[in-house]
């Protein structure tokens, strides 16, 4: 009978000890944190402007709520990734990529979103693009590679 070797759930401490790896993890966590802050502020603006249908419609409510929820999940993924959790690293890579594509679609397609929300989403897109580039870069990929 053969047994399958399951990958460790965390990377060894020495894989995260390189200063450039630590800097990449810190940058990713900060970028995701700014994304969450901006998303929460946007939801606050949506709540404050709820009586202005030209600025806030149903699509804005739904999108803002989804973005806040995913940003908070991504914060947890980034924090756990910085602690060396492999699955959180994978989740961070996937979530940031998926949200970046969703933001690109919102910016590219005409629709129900007002210019102010598209502008906010463009800033979020830049933050997430940086997260995608760092998280998928060679430094973190090698640190989280399975042995």
């Amino acid at each position: 009978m053969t047994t399958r070797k399951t990958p460790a759930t965390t990377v060894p401490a020495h894989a995260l000890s390189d200063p450039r790896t630590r800097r990449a993890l810190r940058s990713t966590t900060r970028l995701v944190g700014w994304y969450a802050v901006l998303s929460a502020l946007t939801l606050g603006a949506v709540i404050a402007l709820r009586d202005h249908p030209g600025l806030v419609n149903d699509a804005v409510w739904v999108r803002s709520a989804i973005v806040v929820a995913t940003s908070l999940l991504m914060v947890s993924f980034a924090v756990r990734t910085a602690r060396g959790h492999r699955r959180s690293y994978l989740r961070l890579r996937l979530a940031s990529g998926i949200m970046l594509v969703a933001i690109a679609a919102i910016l590219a397609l005409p629709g129900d979103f007002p210019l102010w929300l598209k502008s906010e989403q463009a800033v979020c897109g830049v933050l997430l693009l940086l997260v995608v580039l760092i998280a998928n870069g060679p430094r973190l990929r090698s640190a989280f590679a399975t042995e």
Side-chain angles (χ1 to χ4, degrees), residues 33-44 64 67-72 120-121 124:
W34 281 112
Y35 171 61
V37 167
L38 183 56
S39 299
L41 290 173
T42 300
L43 184 59
S64 298
V67 170
V68 168
T70 58
S71 72
L72 295 176
E120 179 270 345
Q121 286 291 281
C124 286

mmCIF file of all heavy atoms in Angstrom, residues 33-44 64 67-72 120-121 124:
data_model
loop_
_atom_site.group_PDB
_atom_site.id
_atom_site.type_symbol
_atom_site.label_atom_id
_atom_site.label_comp_id
_atom_site.label_asym_id
_atom_site.label_seq_id
_atom_site.Cartn_x
_atom_site.Cartn_y
_atom_site.Cartn_z
ATOM 1 N N GLY A 33 -4.791 45.699 2.750
ATOM 2 C CA GLY A 33 -5.372 46.521 3.803
ATOM 3 C C GLY A 33 -5.933 47.825 3.259
ATOM 4 O O GLY A 33 -7.041 48.238 3.622
ATOM 5 N N TRP A 34 -5.197 48.471 2.367
ATOM 6 C CA TRP A 34 -5.687 49.704 1.745
ATOM 7 C C TRP A 34 -6.915 49.423 0.888
ATOM 8 O O TRP A 34 -7.851 50.245 0.846
ATOM 9 C CB TRP A 34 -4.590 50.379 0.920
ATOM 10 C CG TRP A 34 -3.640 51.150 1.777
ATOM 11 C CD1 TRP A 34 -2.333 50.866 2.025
ATOM 12 C CD2 TRP A 34 -3.936 52.327 2.535
ATOM 13 N NE1 TRP A 34 -1.804 51.793 2.893
ATOM 14 C CE2 TRP A 34 -2.768 52.700 3.213
ATOM 15 C CE3 TRP A 34 -5.079 53.093 2.710
ATOM 16 C CZ2 TRP A 34 -2.704 53.815 4.045
ATOM 17 C CZ3 TRP A 34 -5.027 54.201 3.539
ATOM 18 C CH2 TRP A 34 -3.844 54.553 4.187
ATOM 19 N N TYR A 35 -6.920 48.295 0.210
ATOM 20 C CA TYR A 35 -8.083 47.892 -0.579
ATOM 21 C C TYR A 35 -9.309 47.739 0.327
ATOM 22 O O TYR A 35 -10.398 48.213 -0.011
ATOM 23 C CB TYR A 35 -7.747 46.589 -1.309
ATOM 24 C CG TYR A 35 -8.898 45.919 -2.005
ATOM 25 C CD1 TYR A 35 -9.600 46.551 -3.026
ATOM 26 C CD2 TYR A 35 -9.271 44.625 -1.669
ATOM 27 C CE1 TYR A 35 -10.643 45.922 -3.681
ATOM 28 C CE2 TYR A 35 -10.308 43.991 -2.319
ATOM 29 C CZ TYR A 35 -10.990 44.639 -3.327
ATOM 30 O OH TYR A 35 -12.020 44.003 -3.969
ATOM 31 N N ALA A 36 -9.134 47.137 1.487
ATOM 32 C CA ALA A 36 -10.248 46.959 2.428
ATOM 33 C C ALA A 36 -10.720 48.304 2.981
ATOM 34 O O ALA A 36 -11.932 48.543 3.092
ATOM 35 C CB ALA A 36 -9.831 46.022 3.559
ATOM 36 N N VAL A 37 -9.793 49.178 3.315
ATOM 37 C CA VAL A 37 -10.155 50.499 3.836
ATOM 38 C C VAL A 37 -10.934 51.289 2.781
ATOM 39 O O VAL A 37 -11.998 51.871 3.070
ATOM 40 C CB VAL A 37 -8.904 51.280 4.298
ATOM 41 C CG1 VAL A 37 -9.226 52.750 4.532
ATOM 42 C CG2 VAL A 37 -8.317 50.645 5.544
ATOM 43 N N LEU A 38 -10.431 51.309 1.573
ATOM 44 C CA LEU A 38 -11.106 52.027 0.494
ATOM 45 C C LEU A 38 -12.494 51.437 0.232
ATOM 46 O O LEU A 38 -13.463 52.174 0.027
ATOM 47 C CB LEU A 38 -10.255 51.999 -0.775
ATOM 48 C CG LEU A 38 -10.795 52.768 -1.976
ATOM 49 C CD1 LEU A 38 -11.056 54.229 -1.626
ATOM 50 C CD2 LEU A 38 -9.816 52.655 -3.137
ATOM 51 N N SER A 39 -12.600 50.133 0.284
ATOM 52 C CA SER A 39 -13.891 49.468 0.070
ATOM 53 C C SER A 39 -14.883 49.824 1.173
ATOM 54 O O SER A 39 -16.059 50.086 0.904
ATOM 55 C CB SER A 39 -13.690 47.956 0.012
ATOM 56 O OG SER A 39 -12.837 47.613 -1.047
ATOM 57 N N ALA A 40 -14.414 49.849 2.408
ATOM 58 C CA ALA A 40 -15.290 50.207 3.529
ATOM 59 C C ALA A 40 -15.714 51.675 3.435
ATOM 60 O O ALA A 40 -16.879 52.011 3.700
ATOM 61 C CB ALA A 40 -14.578 49.940 4.857
ATOM 62 N N LEU A 41 -14.794 52.550 3.064
ATOM 63 C CA LEU A 41 -15.145 53.958 2.891
ATOM 64 C C LEU A 41 -16.175 54.135 1.775
ATOM 65 O O LEU A 41 -17.087 54.969 1.882
ATOM 66 C CB LEU A 41 -13.895 54.791 2.599
ATOM 67 C CG LEU A 41 -12.921 54.967 3.760
ATOM 68 C CD1 LEU A 41 -11.643 55.660 3.288
ATOM 69 C CD2 LEU A 41 -13.571 55.748 4.889
ATOM 70 N N THR A 42 -16.025 53.354 0.727
ATOM 71 C CA THR A 42 -16.989 53.418 -0.373
ATOM 72 C C THR A 42 -18.370 52.975 0.082
ATOM 73 O O THR A 42 -19.372 53.608 -0.255
ATOM 74 C CB THR A 42 -16.509 52.557 -1.556
ATOM 75 O OG1 THR A 42 -15.243 53.063 -1.983
ATOM 76 C CG2 THR A 42 -17.497 52.599 -2.712
ATOM 77 N N LEU A 43 -18.429 51.912 0.859
ATOM 78 C CA LEU A 43 -19.724 51.472 1.383
ATOM 79 C C LEU A 43 -20.313 52.551 2.296
ATOM 80 O O LEU A 43 -21.525 52.807 2.262
ATOM 81 C CB LEU A 43 -19.601 50.139 2.130
ATOM 82 C CG LEU A 43 -20.920 49.555 2.639
ATOM 83 C CD1 LEU A 43 -21.903 49.315 1.500
ATOM 84 C CD2 LEU A 43 -20.654 48.261 3.396
ATOM 85 N N GLY A 44 -19.475 53.219 3.056
ATOM 86 C CA GLY A 44 -19.941 54.340 3.872
ATOM 87 C C GLY A 44 -20.516 55.462 3.010
ATOM 88 O O GLY A 44 -21.551 56.048 3.339
ATOM 89 N N SER A 64 -20.860 47.234 -3.919
ATOM 90 C CA SER A 64 -20.139 47.733 -2.747
ATOM 91 C C SER A 64 -20.120 46.706 -1.621
ATOM 92 O O SER A 64 -19.087 46.510 -0.970
ATOM 93 C CB SER A 64 -20.762 49.039 -2.256
ATOM 94 O OG SER A 64 -20.670 50.014 -3.249
ATOM 95 N N VAL A 67 -17.718 43.872 -2.596
ATOM 96 C CA VAL A 67 -16.317 44.295 -2.521
ATOM 97 C C VAL A 67 -15.843 44.355 -1.076
ATOM 98 O O VAL A 67 -14.730 43.915 -0.759
ATOM 99 C CB VAL A 67 -16.114 45.640 -3.249
ATOM 100 C CG1 VAL A 67 -14.734 46.210 -2.978
ATOM 101 C CG2 VAL A 67 -16.315 45.457 -4.746
ATOM 102 N N VAL A 68 -16.667 44.870 -0.178
ATOM 103 C CA VAL A 68 -16.273 44.918 1.233
ATOM 104 C C VAL A 68 -16.076 43.504 1.773
ATOM 105 O O VAL A 68 -15.078 43.210 2.438
ATOM 106 C CB VAL A 68 -17.304 45.700 2.083
ATOM 107 C CG1 VAL A 68 -17.051 45.503 3.569
ATOM 108 C CG2 VAL A 68 -17.248 47.172 1.743
ATOM 109 N N ALA A 69 -17.009 42.614 1.476
ATOM 110 C CA ALA A 69 -16.896 41.235 1.967
ATOM 111 C C ALA A 69 -15.637 40.555 1.435
ATOM 112 O O ALA A 69 -14.884 39.944 2.205
ATOM 113 C CB ALA A 69 -18.143 40.437 1.577
ATOM 114 N N THR A 70 -15.386 40.679 0.145
ATOM 115 C CA THR A 70 -14.193 40.030 -0.410
ATOM 116 C C THR A 70 -12.910 40.691 0.087
ATOM 117 O O THR A 70 -11.904 40.017 0.281
ATOM 118 C CB THR A 70 -14.217 40.019 -1.949
ATOM 119 O OG1 THR A 70 -14.308 41.350 -2.438
ATOM 120 C CG2 THR A 70 -15.370 39.183 -2.474
ATOM 121 N N SER A 71 -12.954 42.000 0.295
ATOM 122 C CA SER A 71 -11.737 42.664 0.789
ATOM 123 C C SER A 71 -11.386 42.177 2.192
ATOM 124 O O SER A 71 -10.208 42.000 2.519
ATOM 125 C CB SER A 71 -11.885 44.174 0.758
ATOM 126 O OG SER A 71 -12.776 44.638 1.748
ATOM 127 N N LEU A 72 -12.405 41.957 3.021
ATOM 128 C CA LEU A 72 -12.136 41.453 4.372
ATOM 129 C C LEU A 72 -11.607 40.022 4.331
ATOM 130 O O LEU A 72 -10.713 39.658 5.105
ATOM 131 C CB LEU A 72 -13.393 41.555 5.231
ATOM 132 C CG LEU A 72 -13.862 42.992 5.506
ATOM 133 C CD1 LEU A 72 -15.165 42.988 6.285
ATOM 134 C CD2 LEU A 72 -12.791 43.800 6.214
ATOM 135 N N GLU A 120 -13.462 54.818 -8.164
ATOM 136 C CA GLU A 120 -13.029 54.099 -6.960
ATOM 137 C C GLU A 120 -12.571 52.700 -7.316
ATOM 138 O O GLU A 120 -11.547 52.220 -6.811
ATOM 139 C CB GLU A 120 -14.184 54.066 -5.945
ATOM 140 C CG GLU A 120 -13.868 53.327 -4.665
ATOM 141 C CD GLU A 120 -14.202 51.833 -4.713
ATOM 142 O OE1 GLU A 120 -14.938 51.400 -5.615
ATOM 143 O OE2 GLU A 120 -13.712 51.110 -3.833
ATOM 144 N N GLN A 121 -13.302 52.056 -8.209
ATOM 145 C CA GLN A 121 -12.923 50.709 -8.619
ATOM 146 C C GLN A 121 -11.606 50.705 -9.386
ATOM 147 O O GLN A 121 -10.829 49.759 -9.285
ATOM 148 C CB GLN A 121 -14.039 50.081 -9.467
ATOM 149 C CG GLN A 121 -15.249 49.670 -8.660
ATOM 150 C CD GLN A 121 -14.947 48.494 -7.758
ATOM 151 O OE1 GLN A 121 -14.909 47.355 -8.184
ATOM 152 N NE2 GLN A 121 -14.697 48.782 -6.481
ATOM 153 N N CYS A 124 -9.000 50.690 -6.763
ATOM 154 C CA CYS A 124 -8.955 49.326 -6.213
ATOM 155 C C CYS A 124 -8.248 48.383 -7.186
ATOM 156 O O CYS A 124 -7.481 47.515 -6.777
ATOM 157 C CB CYS A 124 -10.360 48.808 -5.925
ATOM 158 S SG CYS A 124 -11.139 49.543 -4.482
#
